[in-house]
Amino acid sequence: MFAKAFSIFALAMIELWAAVPLGIKMEVDPYLVAVLTIAGAIAGIVVAAFAGGLVNKLLRMRAKDPTKGTVGWLTKQGPWAIGLLGPLLLGATLSAALASSLGLSRRVWMPLLLAGICVWTVAVTVLTVQGFDLLSGGSSSGSSAGF
């Protein structure tokens, strides 16, 4: 059981959306899968946030005007977009690295990213369990109507 739990946790550090189906397929309790996935994603964003901070220092040396263009927009609007949509569109780790490398305040984007991780993980877990139930129910019914 430890190996399964560690696999889910470690995979969630790298790729949030691959950990949920893996855990369900390994027949781990869906609630435990969600908790392990959230914990792994949080560990991944902490590491990415510190790595992104180093990238931010390098970019600041080369930046001419950080208030213009995409960086300026993300500084104003980005914490909400990165926090709530980032886990879905980019992945949690990449979202944390992006926010940190752009120099966004961790006090603003980190709680939003944690909320986004929790919301999307629960949604994906429920959909994955329902999908596996639907697929196993359809194939195990023995009905071959039309085939």
Side-chain angles (χ1 to χ4, degrees):
M1 181 62 179
F2 176 76
K4 289 180 181 181
F6 182 75
S7 298
I8 296 165
F9 178 85
L11 185 58
M13 285 182 69
I14 300 166
E15 179 52 50
L16 181 64
W17 304 128
V20 173
L22 174 71
I24 301 299
K25 188 65 178 168
M26 290 191 312
E27 298 178 356
V28 177
D29 180 51
Y31 295 110
L32 183 59
V33 170
V35 169
L36 290 169
T37 302
I38 290 169
I42 290 170
I45 67 168
V46 168
V47 171
F50 288 112
L54 298 174
V55 171
N56 181 22
K57 288 179 184 176
L58 292 173
L59 290 177
R60 250 191 273 155
M61 296 159 123
R62 296 181 181 199
K64 295 175 184 168
D65 187 4
T67 60
K68 292 186 177 179
T70 305
V71 175
W73 180 84
L74 281 173
T75 302
K76 294 176 185 173
Q77 312 296 332
W80 286 93
I82 289 174
L84 299 178
L85 293 176
L88 177 66
L89 301 175
L90 299 174
T93 307
L94 184 59
S95 296
L98 177 65
S100 186
S101 66
L102 291 174
L104 301 178
S105 172
R106 285 190 188 132
R107 288 184 179 184
V108 177
W109 66 260
M110 186 75 76
L112 294 169
L113 188 58
L114 295 176
I117 288 169
C118 292
V119 167
W120 292 114
T121 299
V122 169
V124 169
T125 303
V126 168
L127 291 172
T128 302
V129 169
Q130 294 298 319
F132 277 134
D133 285 347
L134 181 67
L135 291 174
S136 67
S139 65
S140 65
S141 67
S143 173
S144 60
F147 292 107

